[in-house]
Amino acid sequence: MITNRITQLIFRSVYLTLAFFGLLASFGLFNAEFNQNWFVYYTNLSNLICILVMIPILKDNVKQLSLGNMYGLNTKYTRIKYYASIWIVVTFLVYNILLGDPSTMDYWSSVNNLTFHLACPLVFFLDWLLFDDHSGLCWWDNLVMASAPIIYVFYIMVRGALITPDADTVVYPYFFLDVNELGIGGVIQWVIILVAFFVGLGFALWGMSRQIGKKNKK
């Protein structure tokens, strides 16, 4: 664990700078167009949550330094930051394993891709891993955490049933949520697999954080 708050401040400032560019890119600014489907994509929503979590943590970081507290771990919003870390790691893994193609030039030339699918998830996760107090986490946090992706799927399904899409409207943003292609049974199977992955990853990180906590007490 790294307790130097200047290091933490630099790390978080880099994260928010990258996230700011990612946010602009995701809205379509660099393509001179507005992305009307922004709120449909889990990638955008999970990154937005991480940004909203990091801003008050950075603010507290600055406050602690102004008070002369040069060393210490982050103790603010640690539970929601833990949830967000899992949500954003899943964004990274699902995109880079199932959706994206790192072997193409398009992957490496897209600001949106490099920020929201690659750099921001990794930096946010490392911030949680290296700079946060993990002592308050409980096993049941992993079950609470899994409610967010379920709510997201429910949102996509209800929206898909209610809207009348035009040519520019994205209804089902990911192949594993496309009821028209997979049927409701196929979507349910994918949701079960992904939720199980969320929970399994959560328990893995929870176990890792407990080991880190034990080492810090020695």
Side-chain angles (χ1 to χ4, degrees), residues 3 21 40 53 66 78 80 122 134 139 143 149 163 167 175 185 202 209:
T3 60
F21 280 103
V40 179
V53 169
S66 70
T78 53
I80 186 62
L122 291 176
H134 301 164
W139 67 267
L143 304 181
I163 66 172
F175 75 87
S209 69

Side-chain angles (χ1 to χ4, degrees), residues 151-169:
I151 292 171
Y152 169 76
V153 171
F154 182 75
Y155 154 63
I156 294 299
M157 294 298 107
V158 171
R159 175 182 176 274
L162 295 178
I163 66 172
T164 302
D166 56 31
D168 297 322
T169 301

Side-chain angles (χ1 to χ4, degrees), residues 185-199:
V187 170
I188 290 175
Q189 288 180 358
W190 268 105
V191 170
I192 291 173
I193 292 171
L194 291 173
V195 169
F197 182 67
F198 270 94
V199 174

